Amino acid sequence: RYLLEQDFPGMRIGPEPTTDSFIAVMYGDSEGNIPGNALVVDPKKPFRKLSRFGNAFLNRFMCSQLPNQVLKSISIIDSPGILSGEKQRISRGYDFCQVLQWFAERVDRIILLFDAHKLDISDEFSEAIKSFRGQDDKIRVVLNKADQVDTQQLMRVYGALMWSLGKVINTPEVLRVYIGSFWSHPLRNTENRRLFEAEAQDLFKDIQSLPQKAAVRKLNDLIKRARLAKVHAYIISYLKKEMPSVFGKENKKKELINKLPEIYIQLQREYQISAGDFPEVKKMQELLETCDFTKFHSLKPKLIEAVDNMLANKIASLMSLITQEESNMPTEIVHGGAFDGTMAGPFGHGYGEGAKEGADEEEWVVAKDKPAYDEIFYTLSPINGKISGISAKKEMVTSKLPNSVLGKIWKLADCDGDGMLDDEEFALAKHLIKIKLDGYELPGTLPSHLVPPSHRKPLQTAE
């Protein structure tokens, strides 16, 4: 709702889990709903494989179409609210985690939403997160309603969230958490406004880059599937080879299923395969229970060779084709809705802050602090109105900024490139140091509004 900046058919927002269905929010010329059973038989939509989850799921699945600019670039799957307490014991009637896993394998980004007031991860949410195993690179976390607590509480909330997530997601890497208040109402607590703006901007950039990376991600998934298929072939052919031809098939099958972890280790050694390429042992054992091992196929070396050839040679040429195509095409980026709100104008991110301060003012922005800078300047014994690099360095290093940063500041401040600073250039250097100390980035080249007044005319003539 926040990203689209309009309601979509079937939307219900409330404090308790109100979404009871999976809603695919997609672009359409007119507003409307398509129910699940009709959706999975539509050849134009990518949901045909979902029919295997049965009627209980399809009754809780729908597509919401509307003509929104944002949806021209991305589609959104809104999942049902997570249940906690007694409610989660009541079955949904379909395998919720299996459905989540199906979507997780096919989407570009998974966003987990947390509320600043409800940080407990229920059993169902924990199971849901576990179903995203193997898709960790796609997960982002949003801590919403952060304006409803003060800074001290927010620090505690953030710490508690990271601790809870650490128990559920078993990776040494820390997940990226975006903190903010993602709705259009006034902020209740404004002391973290700058933080919320920066976080929202980062999240927008992350979502906006998705259309550009879609082709590379599909290629990445293809490589992943090819590697898994190859490992699968080794496991299946090994089980087939170990089966007796006449008697004791059932006992041998049970024995092989129990020995699966040892079989994995043996295949790893024999074919030099990484342990991370093997399917999860428990899940594989469950699936093998219902299989007839005698119907498995023997290993076909030619097919394995073909897969190896594809991974070694064909993928590289595909990758270069994608890069070539992307460079020829205009950069695709998500537009519309909330994404347009921070693009331009005085409310764009960073407008009037840091190096952009004073961009739309007639007076030189450094002038207001120049008297204080001049006092320092004249203590540095200027000769003919200029101080040497050595004198400037003595003053600049008191900021404790690293030499690499101070070197960049010197390059920007020494407008005429004579290796010395006059009073205006020195004031500019001090202003740039202040920008950096306030936590802002330095500009790559000196913006026109920061050029000292006495150095402006020569620069214009040079242009």
Side-chain angles (χ1 to χ4, degrees):
R1 171 67 184 80
Y2 176 77
L3 295 177
L4 302 180
E5 289 191 340
Q6 76 173 94
D7 292 355
F8 53 86
M11 183 191 88
R12 274 162 62 220
I13 296 173
E16 277 294 296
T18 45
T19 313
D20 59 353
S21 306
F22 278 88
I23 305 175
V25 188
M26 303 176 84
Y27 184 82
D29 294 325
S30 57
E31 273 194 35
N33 274 339
I34 305 169
N37 284 294
L39 200 55
V40 293
V41 292
D42 185 348
K44 290 178 184 174
K45 296 276 189 291
F47 303 119
R48 301 186 84 172
K49 294 278 172 72
L50 283 167
S51 57
R52 69 185 171 95
F53 293 109
N55 269 335
F57 164 70
L58 295 177
N59 291 336
R60 295 264 172 244
F61 180 47
M62 59 190 258
C63 176
S64 183
Q65 290 187 316
L66 65 156
N68 186 294
Q69 186 75 22
V70 174
L71 299 172
K72 282 187 174 180
S73 310
I74 55 170
S75 296
I76 301 163
I77 307 294
D78 182 21
S79 65
I82 295 291
L83 304 175
S84 60
E86 283 298 309
K87 285 182 286 185
Q88 69 189 23
R89 296 184 191 189
I90 304 160
S91 172
R92 289 183 187 263
Y94 60 90
D95 195 328
F96 180 60
C97 290
Q98 282 283 309
V99 175
L100 285 177
Q101 194 176 350
W102 189 92
F103 279 117
E105 285 168 3
R106 288 156 180 83
V107 297
D108 292 279
R109 186 65 73 239
I110 300 162
I111 296 176
L112 303 177
L113 278 159
F114 285 89
D115 186 321
H117 293 293
K118 295 177 187 170
L119 284 180
D120 59 315
I121 299 180
S122 67
D123 294 348
E124 188 176 51
F125 202 178
S126 179
E127 288 303 313
I129 295 171
K130 283 174 186 169
S131 66
F132 300 142
R133 198 157 282 159
Q135 315 293 335
D136 302 335
D137 56 318
K138 296 178 183 179
I139 299 175
R140 300 289 182 274
V141 177
V142 169
L143 177 58
N144 201 8
K145 304 183 189 175
D147 65 317
Q148 297 185 13
V149 292
D150 61 33
T151 308
Q152 191 180 16
Q153 287 173 322
L154 185 59
M155 282 173 66
R156 289 181 185 148
V157 164
Y158 182 79
L161 174 62
M162 297 308 284
W163 182 79
S164 301
L165 284 170
K167 290 179 76 178
V168 182
I169 300 170
N170 298 319
T171 57
E173 292 84 11
V174 176
L175 283 175
R176 177 67 169 98
V177 178
Y178 298 94
I179 303 167
S181 180
F182 296 93
W183 66 347
S184 54
H185 295 256
L187 297 174
R188 282 199 192 172
N189 204 320
T190 55
E191 56 190 57
N192 292 311
R193 186 189 186 100
R194 242 182 82 189
L195 168 72
F196 299 157
E197 283 172 6
E199 291 284 281
Q201 202 62 30
D202 284 356
L203 180 60
F204 284 176
K205 278 180 192 166
D206 188 64
I207 296 171
Q208 282 181 310
S209 66
L210 294 177
Q212 289 170 266
K213 296 174 185 170
V216 176
R217 188 195 62 77
K218 282 172 186 163
L219 189 62
N220 185 48
D221 280 358
L222 172 69
I223 298 164
K224 206 190 281 183
R225 286 173 78 95
R227 288 166 70 104
L228 288 172
K230 199 172 109 175
V231 171
H232 210 78
Y234 286 134
I235 297 167
I236 297 301
S237 59
Y238 181 89
L239 296 173
K240 161 83 174 174
K241 189 175 72 180
E242 291 295 307
M243 285 299 282
S245 49
V246 187
F247 301 111
K249 288 179 185 177
E250 273 306 308
N251 289 338
K252 188 66 178 173
K253 177 182 165 179
K254 281 177 189 171
E255 186 193 321
L256 287 170
I257 289 172
N258 291 333
K259 276 175 65 183
L260 199 61
E262 294 161 41
I263 293 168
Y264 276 15
I265 294 163
Q266 194 177 327
L267 292 173
Q268 280 172 41
R269 287 187 193 137
E270 196 176 332
Y271 297 105
Q272 270 77 53
I273 308 166
S274 164
D277 287 351
F278 282 83
E280 206 183 324
V281 175
K282 277 187 183 176
K283 197 177 174 189
M284 193 67 173
Q285 285 172 327
E286 283 169 24
L287 292 168
L288 287 172
E289 293 280 356
T290 55
C291 298
D292 182 355
F293 287 15
T294 55
K295 288 183 180 174
F296 286 167
H297 292 281
S298 301
L299 194 68
K300 293 175 181 166
K302 277 193 177 178
L303 289 177
I304 297 288
E305 248 174 71
V307 172
D308 286 338
N309 179 41
M310 179 197 78
L311 292 171
N313 307 315
K314 303 280 172 68
I315 293 293
S317 54
L318 253 179
M319 192 69 212
S320 63
L321 279 172
I322 288 172
T323 314
Q324 201 177 320
E325 194 175 298
E326 280 178 351
S327 60
N328 295 336
M329 283 169 69
T331 307
E332 195 182 343
I333 201 163
V334 182
H335 287 291
F339 296 99
D340 286 352
T342 54
M343 290 293 179
F347 296 98
H349 180 59
Y351 189 93
E353 296 173 0
K356 293 174 189 171
E357 187 189 350
D360 48 6
E361 292 172 20
E362 281 182 34
E363 195 184 347
W364 189 38
V365 70
V366 185
K368 64 178 189 289
D369 295 316
K370 191 168 181 291
Y373 298 148
D374 282 350
E375 278 182 35
I376 302 166
F377 179 77
Y378 289 111
T379 62
L380 298 170
S381 317
I383 299 162
N384 300 328
K386 292 194 174 191
I387 58 167
S388 66
I390 294 167
S391 301
K393 182 182 177 181
K394 278 178 192 169
E395 173 56 32
M396 288 168 76
V397 292
T398 60
S399 66
K400 296 182 182 174
L401 286 170
N403 281 356
S404 55
V405 175
L406 291 173
K408 190 175 182 183
I409 289 170
W410 174 271
K411 199 176 170 186
L412 292 168
D414 186 11
C415 298
D416 50 16
D418 65 351
M420 300 177 90
L421 299 182
D422 60 27
D423 61 326
E424 285 187 345
E425 288 174 324
F426 178 76
L428 173 61
K430 291 292 282 181
H431 181 72
L432 291 170
I433 286 171
K434 183 173 173 284
I435 287 171
K436 191 66 189 171
L437 291 174
D438 286 347
Y440 298 101
E441 287 305 311
L442 292 170
T445 53
L446 194 65
S448 56
H449 71 276
L450 284 182
V451 176
S454 64
H455 291 268
R456 284 180 189 179
K457 282 179 185 174
L459 279 176
Q460 284 167 356
T461 337
E463 279 172 16

